[in-house]
Amino acid sequence: MKESLFMRAAFSQPTERPPVWMMRQAGRFMKEYWEIKNKYSFLEMCKTPEIAADVTMLPVDLLGIDAAILFSDILVTAEAMGGDLSFTQGVGPKFSNPVRTQQDIDELQTDVLDKLQYVSDAIKVIQQRLDGKIPLIGFAGAPFTVLSYLIEGGSSKDFKLTKLFLNNHPALAHQLLGKIAQVTITYLNMQIDAGVNALQLFDSWALALSWSDYQEFSHNYNVDIISKLNRTGIPIISFCKGSSVFAPMMAEAKPDVISVDWNADLKNIKESLPSGIAVQGNLDPFVLYAEKAVIKKKILALFERMRGEEGFIFNLGHGIMPDIPFDNVKYAVELIKEFRYKI
């Protein structure tokens, strides 16, 4: 597996072309996803290993990507800790018992691996199906992002409640972040034990934070998590919306790869990082709505910009949107797989 295109790029080794996978590659832009989703709730899909494997395999079978990513959700850790989580079509995740007080934090559990066993089981089923063809990426939500959902009770446009909590009750925020980090470390190590080949830490909402708040309430916990992973041979990818701003600080956590949003010039980011840290990204996913000639032009321009850089994984700056045409995604993957850097 370490000879795969993805693994070589993740460890900053030379590749004949950039490997490709895409965040949310197994999802709502596929009719085959809906054929499964219409039979089960989202959490049923996540918690049933065979179904999670079915969904994980969709982009492997239909797109031919270079890495699979476990079908799950960043909020399964929060649910295992005691969050009453539900997903509603068109609304997204909701916690009916948001965390706002010392008592709420005290009630959250940290010895929860048994409640997440279904993830370990799903990884084993997926690896049987992949049969060594391509690597499997596991993942977790970073503590700040998980905290924001617990405090807001769901998604938020402005993170007002979260930022009030950080400002007015920083000691409580650190208690909560510490608990989430503890669970995240054991959860990711469980995924390694179950057989994932790589891990990605998703700090999806880090961009809500100022530089100093990001350092205090996000980065320091991500450093702790990455330092405690059994990562021998397992590349660690660090992603946040805001990586174009926070990349220099993210590098201090010593991930193998930093996944970059679409607001930055990828080559400039790469050159600003210590040697040995790869980059992943960073096509604006909205490009995939465009005509195929435009998709080709934008991808090839990115590849030309990254020519000569070792450690480059093609991805989007964020996830695929549900109404992006499947044919456009397939075209992009095929274009990338046909590409070769000329020596």
Side-chain angles (χ1 to χ4, degrees), residues 15 45 78 97 102 112 124 147 157 193 240 246 275 301 303 310 312 315 317 324:
T15 55
M45 293 164 70
N97 56 340
Q102 179 73 65
V112 297
K124 290 169 185 171
L147 169 144
K157 286 189 169 68
D193 291 341
C240 77
F246 297 131
S275 63
F303 286 2
E310 291 178 359
F312 168 40
N315 208 308
I324 286 177

Side-chain angles (χ1 to χ4, degrees), residues 247-268:
M249 203 190 305
M250 293 168 75
E252 295 171 12
K254 297 184 170 60
D256 298 287
V257 186
I258 290 179
S259 190
V260 182
D261 59 33
W262 67 85
N263 302 104
D265 178 272
L266 198 58
K267 187 178 180 75
N268 288 348

Side-chain angles (χ1 to χ4, degrees), residues 56-69:
T56 299
M57 292 300 294
L58 287 176
V60 179
D61 296 334
L62 300 174
L63 293 172
I65 35 74
D66 293 313
I69 184 165

